[in-house]
Amino acid sequence: MKQFFLVPALLCCLSVLAQNKADDVKTFTLTNGMKFLVVEDNSIPNANMYLLYRVGARNEHPGITGLSHFFEHMMFNGSKKYGPKEFDRTMEFNGGANNAYTTENVTVYTDWFPSSALEKIFDLEADRIASLTIDPKMVESERGVVLSERSTGLENSPWRMLGEAVNATAFQEHPYHWPVIGYEEDIKNWTKEDLEYYFKTYYAPNNCVVVISGNVKTDEVKRLAQKYLEPIPAQKAADPVHLVEPPQTGERRVTVQKQVATPYMLIGYHTPEARHKDFYALSILSSVLSKGNSSRLYSTLVDKKQLVSNVFTDYSESFDPTLFQIYVVAAKDAKEADIESTIYEEIEKIKKDGITEKELQKIKNQKLMEFYGQIETINGKSNNLGTYELFFGDYKKMFEAPAEYNKVTLDDIKRVANEYFKKSNRTVGVLKANVED
């Protein structure tokens, strides 16, 4: 019974929190189109800056695959004012730290620093956005680094190798077909002109959203933004991604050979993008299947039948329709066919009988706890606000998320399971040793 009282209590807190926090987010847009979200939070004397660029592997095409990820490297290799390695050195001298990541959809740069270093951070970011150095020697050096990263990743990560094979099989027309790191031959053959065009187009201020949270004043942030970033000219908007993956009309299967102790399996179902009405129901369904030891797949595959040593699912935010993915690592001597049939049996139970009210309430409780925990820190605030601004079209959607999860019904879970978890809509990948010739 304790769990059932948790939701109303949390909803009450979050409702108040939502009203206050939504009002606390201040926004402004520079004349060059760069949008800012600012949250003043004086709980600690630090701040962060998230720069989210609307560019990822989906913006590439064969011939230039991997360029988005490559710029994640190049952005730290020198610009007009701060030469090679100086970005990190200056950041660290001022007490800050940074990181970056690239996905199919976005490239994100993160800076964490004492709020006293705010102007220096603006100076650093403005310099590399306005005048990144695309020096041929540095390009060749980083090209080698990325090639090594690609080969090492494939050698060391069964999931990466299997994931690439499944994506390439499930997506036959849409850019989610190729890996974020790019194809080896493309990496070897990018030209200086490719890099210059890509940087000018996608690292334009009008293609970036900046989120700053922490011990800052919005007026000061705006003054520094106008001083350092507004002089950078806007660019012509990038061409939209017009490729749409056609409906899958039959099950697809792919097998990959790699020396592993036990087989790895990845099952993907085509599912909608973040702005679709079914996003929250599918997110809850993902948790029903694999969140915690009492989840459907974990309790059956790991605890009861001991067919696998690990199982998890993933359904994440995306701009375009994506895959709902089920990952398993087989237990020693377990048969792949038994694992696969057990997964489908659990899915069929949900399609036929749905889930229980207790299961749904448990997941809603978990979602609310996760949400509350994420926005407790300045890092979580920036990351979540930026995610909702880009993937859901408005940062205010973040404050509506608890209510959206709470609206999901038992019928919604049963409906989305039946709509998307069809044999004709799935791709099954298996990675194992000793594949037959």
Side-chain angles (χ1 to χ4, degrees), residues 70-89:
F70 186 65
F71 273 106
E72 184 192 314
H73 287 243
M74 287 299 293
M75 289 292 278
F76 294 93
N77 280 323
S79 43
K80 185 176 180 180
K81 183 175 180 180
Y82 295 97
K85 312 303 179 187
E86 286 301 314
F87 186 94
D88 284 341
R89 288 174 185 159

Side-chain angles (χ1 to χ4, degrees), residues 265-276:
M265 183 180 296
L266 199 171
I267 302 171
Y269 292 91
H270 287 281
T271 39
E273 69 281 8
R275 298 191 193 188
H276 193 276

Side-chain angles (χ1 to χ4, degrees), residues 122-134:
F122 267 100
D123 189 30
L124 283 165
E125 290 293 352
D127 187 46
R128 65 178 180 175
I129 299 170
S131 50
L132 183 72
T133 301
I134 304 180

Side-chain angles (χ1 to χ4, degrees), residues 13-32:
C13 293
L14 288 171
S15 177
V16 174
L17 177 68
Q19 291 173 12
N20 293 336
K21 292 299 180 181
D23 291 342
D24 282 347
V25 181
K26 308 302 181 188
T27 71
F28 61 88
T29 303
L30 302 178
T31 56
N32 60 16

Side-chain angles (χ1 to χ4, degrees), residues 306-327:
Q306 299 183 0
L307 290 170
V308 309
S309 59
N310 192 14
V311 57
F312 59 97
T313 59
D314 179 58
Y315 176 62
S316 303
E317 298 89 354
S318 63
F319 287 143
D320 303 318
T322 184
L323 290 182
F324 186 113
Q325 296 174 304
I326 301 169
Y327 299 78

